[in-house]
């Protein structure tokens, strides 16, 4: 996965609430994600966290998005496809957040 230019995630049209574990593996690989899916939680996370792109499962839309991604890669190499938000998903960051929650709830009231 880490050698890939872009990772592909395909979300079932019938599954708009499931967050596949693969999404977290992809984030850990620190490669941009192209999600082919109708709007759902996965596409929101990818857009909100700037992890890549989401496109509806339509042939013309997919082809247009691939052209756009290729043009960015061709113009700037991997810098044209860089991720901005991956650091917040780092295990050290998320573990620190979880530790903070545990500390907060375990304090005497």
């Amino acid at each position: 996965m880490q050698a890939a230019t872009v990772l592909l995630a395909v979300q079932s049209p019938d599954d708009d609430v499931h967050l596949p574990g693969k999404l977290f593996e992809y984030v850990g690989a620190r490669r941009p994600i192209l999600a082919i899916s109708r709007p759902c939680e996965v596409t929101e996370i990818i857009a909100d966290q700037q992890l890549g792109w989401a496109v509806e499962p339509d042939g013309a839309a997919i082809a247009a998005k691939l052209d756009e991604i290729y043009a960015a890669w061709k113009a700037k190499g991997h810098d044209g496809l860089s991720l901005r938000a991956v650091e917040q998903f780092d295990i050290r960051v998320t573990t620190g957040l979880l530790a903070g929650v545990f500390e907060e709830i375990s304090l005497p009231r």
Side-chain angles (χ1 to χ4, degrees):
M1 283 190 288
Q2 292 174 330
T5 300
V6 175
L7 298 168
L8 178 63
V10 179
Q11 185 78 355
S12 167
D14 300 326
D15 189 359
D16 61 354
V17 295
H18 177 245
L19 281 177
K22 184 65 68 183
L23 179 64
F24 298 99
E25 291 178 32
Y26 282 8
V27 170
R30 297 180 172 267
R31 303 304 315 138
I33 301 165
L34 172 60
I36 299 174
S37 174
R38 63 186 178 88
C40 66
E41 199 167 3
V42 170
T43 60
E44 288 177 24
I45 290 170
I46 289 171
D48 292 347
Q49 303 303 320
Q50 301 174 339
L51 298 171
W53 312 269
V55 64
E56 295 271 346
D58 168 75
I62 294 167
K65 186 56 70 177
L66 287 171
D67 286 344
E68 176 187 324
I69 293 167
Y70 178 73
W73 176 81
K74 186 94 165 148
K76 299 180 182 177
H78 287 292
D79 290 339
L81 306 177
S82 64
L83 304 178
R84 297 181 199 124
V86 172
E87 288 74 27
Q88 71 179 323
F89 294 102
D90 184 276
I91 189 70
R92 292 172 291 256
V93 173
T94 56
T95 301
L97 292 171
L98 181 60
V101 169
F102 285 147
E103 285 180 19
E104 184 177 322
I105 65 172
S106 66
L107 292 175
R109 297 188 192 261

